[in-house]
Every structure is written in structure tokens, then in C-alpha cells.
Amino acid sequence: MSSLAARTLALSTRTALRQTRAPLASSFRLAQRSSLPPRQQTPYQTVRAFSASMLTKSDAMAAPAAPQEFDKEIVDMASYATNYKVTSDLAIDTARFVFLDTLGCGLKALEFPQCTKLLGPVVPGTTVPNGTRVPGTNYTLDPVLGAFNIGTIIRWLDFNDCWLAAEWGHPSDNLGAILAVADWVNRTNKAGGEKIAGGKIFTIKDVLEYMVKAHEIQGVMALENSFNKVGLDHVLLVKVASTSVVANMLGLSEAQTRDAISQAWVDGQSMRTYRHSPNTMSRKSWAAGDACQKAVNLCLKVLGGEGGMPTVLTAPTWGFYDVNFHGAKFSFQREYGAYVMENVLFKVSYPAEFHSQTAIEAAQRINKKLKSMGKTAEDIEDVTNRTHEACIRIIDKQFKPMDNYADRDHCVQYMVSVMFCFNWLEASDYPDNSEAAQSPLVESLRKRIKCVEDPQFTKDYHDPSKRTISNALTVRLKDGTTLEEEVVEAPLGHRLRREEAKPEILAKYLRHLEPHFSKDHVKKLVDLGNSSEQLYKTEVDEYMDMYVKS
């Protein structure tokens, strides 16, 4: 057979086979389809013959998606940040004390090299025209990095104000973002050229009002929603609250504020890893600064035209609730107002995690009893601390090795032991080379202090009418004597002891100023802080210049 004849025969054979198989395949596919449930046809699934003319042109515009409504939680935040007028004199006056106290804490932090090594421009020597000033330094930075610097120094020593509920945190952390933006906007607008926020010039009174709002957003969110229980850090709320108020400061509309807030919720959230053994470390001290810089950065992106994500919280599978909150939704105890600032907690006496404040005060009171008996810390056999659940969850580290500063300032046993042994507790007692950290008696006594939960203390901690942070110490001596339990329910900075605390807050501010400025300049700052009328009308950039240090 010729090669041509062979190819002709093969082609005929393949054609016949295809004709035989085609009906069988069609029958199989038909039977298969009939066994499957019917599919819902979408507008894109119409049966049409393929044509080259159907190819999408490269410059064709996709049909716009139908507008979505924003999650109500975001709508409420944006509405409050944009429209609420702060009328509470109590809130504004309290904010004044928070403002001074927070700046003082920032200055104190500059005494610690571990903090100062994080500060300044990314590229040494860089100076930003009309930039943000960082108190106690000569840095002039862009508002994003300025927010990190200010947020880091005011938070470093864990000595600024506090809010305790289902979630805890430090609402004055938001001042890092607020102050950085206010200073930069003022300087930029005064320099001429393109105006920011309509040419707004912020005063300290404006800053205090924004502080009230940031405190409120962070604090109200914290009342019923525990982020720590799902492993997230409370600085998440700093980022959201700062974003809300900075958006308004930059002149964003209410709709743009919603966009910015949604960006804050979708942004990668900080985990609490750096606050707990075995990973406790210094990042916990700059986490709030990190949240502040992210808030300012996101607001500037929206100012530049970036949009938002309306259902960032509620979107199935991909939303915050499903990804980060075990599918649960936020709950709210009250509407946004001025409640948080009016009830905020001050750290007056000790640079220590707030759940320990009353335990340390109780130890200081017991020291007076020991002295009257001719006894000292060396005579203590053991101590029982009757406390609330949050204290146990966060700072009960009876047998955990104290590896660094971050371990010590978040260990109730360590802090109480230092008070018993030295009758003081200072920020200088936390570094590795401190006398307290190297004391065998502190270390021995620390391991003999046991925490036990009192359910009533836990209940009072969450009660909106009380919000006490109770600790009660019972000391047993080596000679068998057991001292009467010393109970302290509310620390000095609590609302129930606010008037008692005010002189101490100002004295604390004065102590923190003195190492940095001349006696005359310290007096000038203190007098201005005490004169609310004069302070309120001072423009932010002029006030910040008073803290510049060459």
C-alpha cells in the first residue's frame, strides 16, 4: 500500500471513531447534568456564541459597583468625630491635667537611652520644613514620624493616664497623633502656600477637645469589647481613635472620615505577644507610638484621595469580625459623649502598670505598720494579694524570671516587693542594672507573693458606677504573726479621689520638667499650665516651641 493510501485509510478510521464516540459522550454529559442540582444563572452566564468582537477592550471601564452602606460602628465614630461639640467643662478641665501630665511623662522618658535611641529622623540630620517638634529634643520631623516620636515618649514609662474595662489602655496615647498634626498644620499654614484644613490654626483648647473625643472613642469601645482575649493589643484602639480625630483635624469630610476609619480597621493589628512571657520586650513601650504614626499616615492617604471599605468589619470571611474577633460583633454600653475623659484614671504615685497601683499603695501603708513594730521586709514570710481577674491575667508573674525592664514593670509581685524592700518605686527600679533588679531580697520576696481572685473585686472593676481597681494584701511574718489585711479599692488618680490627686499631678509634672529646663523656664511652663484661660488660647506651635531643647 502506498503512503498516500495509508494516510487516507487512517484519516477515515479516526473520523469514524469520532462519529461513534460523539453520541456516547453527549449522552454521558446529559446524564451527568441531570443528576446535579440546578445552578442559579447570573447575568454573566448567558449562552452566546464566542466572537472576537466580545473581547474586552483594554480601555473599557467596568460597570461601577452599587454603593454600599458603611458599617454602623464606623458611621457612629465618624459622626461623633465630625459633629460632636464638647460642652463638658469637667471633661475639658480634666483634659488639661491629662495634657500636662502626659507631656511630663514624655520628658521623663528621655532619661532612658532605650527610649531615646528610637527617636529622631530615619536619616540622621534630616530636618523637615515646618515640621513637628518633639518635646524635650531639637527634632523637627514630618507629622507621621513626629506622631511616632511623641507617642513613644509619652507611653514609654507606663506612667500616663489609664482606662480599665473589658479592654484596658491609655487614652492619652492619642496625644502623639493629635499634637504632631496640630503643630505641623499650624507651622505649614503660617508659612503660607497651600493651606491645610482650610488654613486652620490650632490652639491648646482645640487639642484638649480632640483629646476628649479620642479618649471617648477608645474608652467606649473598651467598655464591652475585650481585644486582649482574642490576642490583640489595646493599641488597636489608639489607631482607630487617633484616625477618627486626625481626619477631622485635617479637614476631611464625614464621608472621608468613614474611609479613614475603615482603613484603620483593616490595617494589620498588633498582637499582645510583646506583653506576655516568654516574649515580653520593649516593643510594648513603643506600640502606641506605632499606632499614632499609622493613624496619621492613613489619614494623609485619604486626604490624597484614597477611598475606604464600607463593610470592613462585617464582610463575611474577610471582615474584621470573622478574621480577628471570632465572628462576634462589638457591643456598646453607651453612646459617645464625654464620659471617658470625665472618669479617666491618673497614674499619680507610681510608674507601674495600673492594675498594680492599689497593691503598691497597700504595701506602702503596711511598711508604716512594720516600722512601728520594729520589723522590715526581711521579716516577711509570705504575702497574699486578694485581687481582681484582670490583675491576675496581665501581671501575675510570681515565678516567671525577670529577664528585662518590660518583665519587671508588668509584674505585680516585683513592684510590691520593691515597695516593701525600699519603701519607694521609681522608673529607675526596672532596668537590669538597678539596685532593685539585683536585690536578692526583692527576688526572694517576689516569689512569696501569691495572687488570688476575689469575684467581688472583679465585679466592681466592671461596674460603670465604681470601676475600682482593688487589691488587698495580707502579710504573714516569720514569727507567725499575721497582719490585718490592708485594702485599697481606688488608687489616688481615680475619679473618687480626683481632688485629692490634682496637687500631686501638678507636682509630678513639675518634677518631670526640672531636669530639662532652667528654673525660670520651668516656672513659666507651670504657671501657664495652671492658668487655664491663658493656656487654652495659646497656639500649639508656640506652645511646642517652649519644649524645644538644644
Side-chain angles (χ1 to χ4, degrees):
M1 183 183 294
S2 68
S3 60
L4 176 62
R7 286 197 299 273
T8 301
L9 178 61
L11 178 63
S12 300
T13 303
R14 286 197 296 271
T15 301
L17 286 172
R18 281 199 297 269
Q19 290 173 343
T20 303
R21 290 169 182 164
L24 293 174
S26 298
S27 299
F28 173 75
R29 286 194 294 270
L30 182 63
Q32 186 182 45
R33 287 189 188 123
S34 66
S35 67
L36 295 174
R39 292 189 297 174
Q40 294 295 320
Q41 191 179 63
T42 73
Y44 303 104
Q45 291 175 317
T46 54
V47 179
R48 295 173 61 186
F50 176 81
S51 162
S53 64
M54 294 176 61
L55 291 173
T56 304
K57 295 180 179 179
S58 61
D59 61 348
M61 295 292 291
Q68 291 179 286
E69 291 186 6
F70 270 78
D71 291 327
K72 185 178 184 302
E73 301 89 331
I74 295 176
V75 171
D76 290 345
M77 284 182 196
S79 176
Y80 170 75
T82 305
N83 304 311
Y84 184 81
K85 303 300 180 186
V86 179
T87 59
S88 169
D89 291 337
L90 174 59
I92 291 296
D93 188 58
T94 304
R96 175 169 64 92
F97 280 88
V98 172
F99 178 72
L100 298 174
D101 181 48
T102 303
L103 285 174
C105 290
L107 293 174
K108 181 67 177 177
L110 296 175
E111 299 175 20
F112 294 83
Q114 196 174 14
C115 173
T116 55
K117 72 180 183 182
L118 297 170
L119 307 180
V122 174
V123 178
T126 301
T127 298
V128 177
N130 309 313
T132 293
R133 303 310 197 253
V134 180
T137 77
N138 64 351
Y139 296 136
T140 304
L141 308 172
D142 69 80
V144 176
L145 193 54
F148 173 82
N149 276 242
I150 300 173
T152 295
I153 65 173
I154 64 181
R155 184 69 188 87
W156 190 265
L157 295 178
D158 204 352
F159 211 1
N160 54 329
D161 73 353
C162 192
W163 185 251
L164 306 178
E167 187 58 55
W168 38 82
H170 308 267
S172 61
D173 290 347
N174 295 287
L175 184 59
I178 295 169
L179 203 52
V181 170
D183 190 22
W184 168 68
V185 168
N186 276 18
R187 296 180 193 277
T188 302
N189 287 341
K190 287 183 178 183
E194 185 176 352
K195 300 295 184 182
I196 305 173
K200 174 77 174 180
I201 300 297
F202 293 104
T203 65
I204 298 300
K205 177 70 175 299
D206 295 321
V207 167
L208 300 183
E209 290 177 353
Y210 284 119
M211 288 175 66
V212 172
K213 290 186 176 185
H215 270 61
E216 190 73 0
I217 292 172
Q218 179 174 348
V220 168
M221 280 292 303
L223 289 175
E224 298 285 345
N225 304 293
S226 177
F227 295 88
N228 61 81
K229 286 187 176 179
V230 296
L232 297 180
D233 194 26
H234 55 72
V235 298
L236 177 159
L237 295 180
V238 175
K239 179 169 56 178
V240 171
S242 288
T243 299
S244 302
V245 298
V246 167
N248 186 248
M249 294 176 72
L250 292 175
L252 299 184
S253 67
E254 187 172 342
Q256 289 175 306
T257 301
R258 291 194 290 268
D259 290 337
I261 294 171
S262 74
Q263 291 285 352
W265 279 114
V266 82
D267 196 51
Q269 310 303 343
S270 296
M271 301 190 299
R272 287 187 62 86
T273 310
Y274 44 73
R275 297 189 188 276
H276 298 279
S277 177
N279 295 295
T280 315
M281 65 164 301
S282 58
R283 179 163 180 159
K284 74 180 183 60
S285 297
W286 56 263
D290 184 53
C292 288
Q293 76 171 342
K294 287 180 177 178
V296 176
N297 190 27
L298 293 172
C299 287
L300 289 172
K301 282 180 167 57
V302 174
L303 181 65
E306 189 68 15
M309 293 148 283
T311 58
V312 64
L313 297 176
T314 59
T317 306
W318 312 115
F320 182 90
Y321 287 150
D322 278 1
V323 174
N324 291 311
F325 220 56
H326 295 177
K329 294 185 177 182
F330 299 146
S331 59
F332 294 87
Q333 186 184 100
R334 62 196 308 117
E335 295 182 352
Y336 297 117
Y339 171 79
V340 176
M341 184 62 83
E342 291 175 347
N343 292 274
V344 75
L345 302 162
F346 287 87
K347 284 189 179 180
V348 180
S349 304
Y350 319 106
E353 203 281 337
F354 210 91
H355 295 87
S356 69
Q357 293 282 316
T358 51
I360 300 166
E361 185 174 345
Q364 194 165 33
R365 294 181 184 181
I366 291 171
N367 276 346
K368 294 180 180 179
K369 296 179 182 178
L370 291 174
K371 185 176 181 180
S372 67
M373 298 168 62
K375 304 288 187 179
T376 67
E378 294 181 348
D379 297 299
I380 296 175
E381 177 66 26
D382 55 49
V383 181
T384 300
N385 181 25
R386 184 164 59 96
T387 188
H388 50 289
E389 183 271 342
C391 177
I392 292 175
R393 182 142 48 98
I394 306 168
I395 55 174
D396 179 9
K397 301 176 182 178
Q398 183 177 5
F399 300 111
K400 197 272 176 191
M402 297 289 99
D403 294 327
N404 52 45
Y405 187 117
D407 278 327
R408 298 182 189 102
D409 79 343
H410 271 59
C411 173
V412 65
Q413 285 89 356
Y414 179 84
M415 293 179 279
V416 168
S417 294
V418 172
M419 177 54 70
F420 275 133
C421 293
F422 298 101
N423 202 39
W424 69 65
L425 180 65
E426 303 286 349
S428 57
D429 292 318
Y430 298 123
D432 294 348
N433 61 355
S434 66
E435 182 182 5
Q438 296 182 5
S439 167
L441 180 58
V442 168
E443 178 64 9
S444 171
L445 182 55
R446 179 180 73 83
K447 294 179 180 178
R448 289 179 277 127
I449 299 176
K450 177 178 66 175
C451 289
V452 295
E453 182 189 358
D454 183 325
Q456 186 61 49
F457 282 179
T458 300
K459 182 178 179 181
D460 292 345
Y461 174 88
H462 292 288
D463 186 339
S465 65
K466 292 183 178 180
R467 299 212 175 279
T468 48
I469 312 99
S470 305
N471 283 282
L473 301 185
T474 300
V475 172
R476 184 167 66 96
L477 301 180
K478 291 178 179 178
D479 64 7
T481 303
T482 299
L483 305 185
E484 182 180 356
E485 183 183 59
E486 188 69 44
V487 183
V488 183
E489 295 186 355
L492 184 57
H494 193 278
R495 174 181 54 83
L496 299 175
R497 300 174 65 184
R498 181 65 49 78
E499 292 307 312
E500 178 188 356
K502 283 182 177 180
E504 298 300 324
I505 294 170
L506 291 174
K508 174 186 170 189
Y509 173 61
L510 173 63
R511 289 196 304 274
H512 289 165
L513 288 174
E514 287 177 330
H516 296 275
F517 305 107
S518 68
K519 185 176 181 180
D520 289 343
H521 196 66
V522 168
K523 183 179 186 304
K524 183 178 179 180
L525 285 168
V526 171
D527 287 348
L528 181 57
N530 276 320
S531 176
S532 57
E533 182 179 353
Q534 188 66 31
L535 179 67
Y536 292 168
K537 65 184 182 183
T538 302
E539 294 175 357
V540 172
D541 56 308
E542 295 175 359
Y543 186 78
M544 293 293 281
D545 283 341
M546 298 177 69
Y547 287 86
V548 172
K549 186 178 179 182
S550 61

